[in-house]
Amino acid sequence: MTSDTAEADTALRYEYDLDAAPSKVWRALTVPEFVARWLLPDPQAPQEPSRISLEVIEADTERFVRYSMREDDEAVPDSIVTFRIDPNGSGGTTFSIVHEPVALAKPISRTAANGNAPPTTMRLAA
């Protein structure tokens, strides 16, 4: 993949073809019990796992979900992880992952709903 800046090259990018249908992959990414199974540390692991918190930033059903990921270990930078789901034409899914440090992620512009901002920004209720 190409990028606009040299800094963006530090993002980790992966793409996989899965046999599972997009709806099944979507469930794995959004049902809390399934997400905990494969994205969060195993509590039964012998070493003390760091705590990870995930928060959905943005989602489009069965197309993509974007998480803010934070670890309690201050040595690990906060990051944004985007999972993209596309049908692959054979009943399966093309599954893309982009994991980028927060410093490189594009900020989401937010203003108060009653502000005088242009209508292109995301607005938050006061």
Side-chain angles (χ1 to χ4, degrees):
M1 293 190 160
T2 61
S3 64
D4 297 334
T5 66
E7 283 186 280
D9 290 340
T10 63
L12 301 174
R13 300 171 191 277
Y14 303 94
E15 188 171 287
Y16 304 94
D17 277 322
L18 306 175
D19 293 334
S23 60
K24 189 171 184 176
V25 176
W26 176 255
R27 284 177 39 90
L29 292 171
T30 58
V31 173
E33 296 80 25
F34 298 152
V35 172
R37 262 192 222 159
W38 71 280
L39 283 181
L40 300 177
D42 180 0
Q44 305 300 322
Q47 73 275 6
E48 179 71 25
S50 62
R51 293 186 186 268
I52 297 174
S53 64
L54 295 172
E55 180 183 338
V56 175
I57 298 173
E58 186 178 11
D60 186 1
T61 305
E62 292 191 22
R63 295 190 38 86
F64 76 91
V65 62
R66 225 174 157 201
Y67 284 104
S68 168
M69 183 180 281
R70 295 183 176 182
E71 291 193 41
D72 64 359
D73 181 351
E74 291 183 20
V76 178
D78 294 348
S79 58
I80 303 291
V81 182
T82 304
F83 299 98
R84 185 164 299 282
I85 302 166
D86 294 303
N88 66 10
S90 63
T93 302
T94 299
F95 180 56
S96 304
I97 304 168
V98 177
H99 189 158
E100 56 192 325
V102 168
L104 299 179
K106 295 177 184 172
I108 296 174
S109 175
R110 295 181 178 174
T111 59
N114 60 351
N116 290 327
T120 60
T121 60
M122 181 183 291
R123 296 184 179 201
L124 301 174

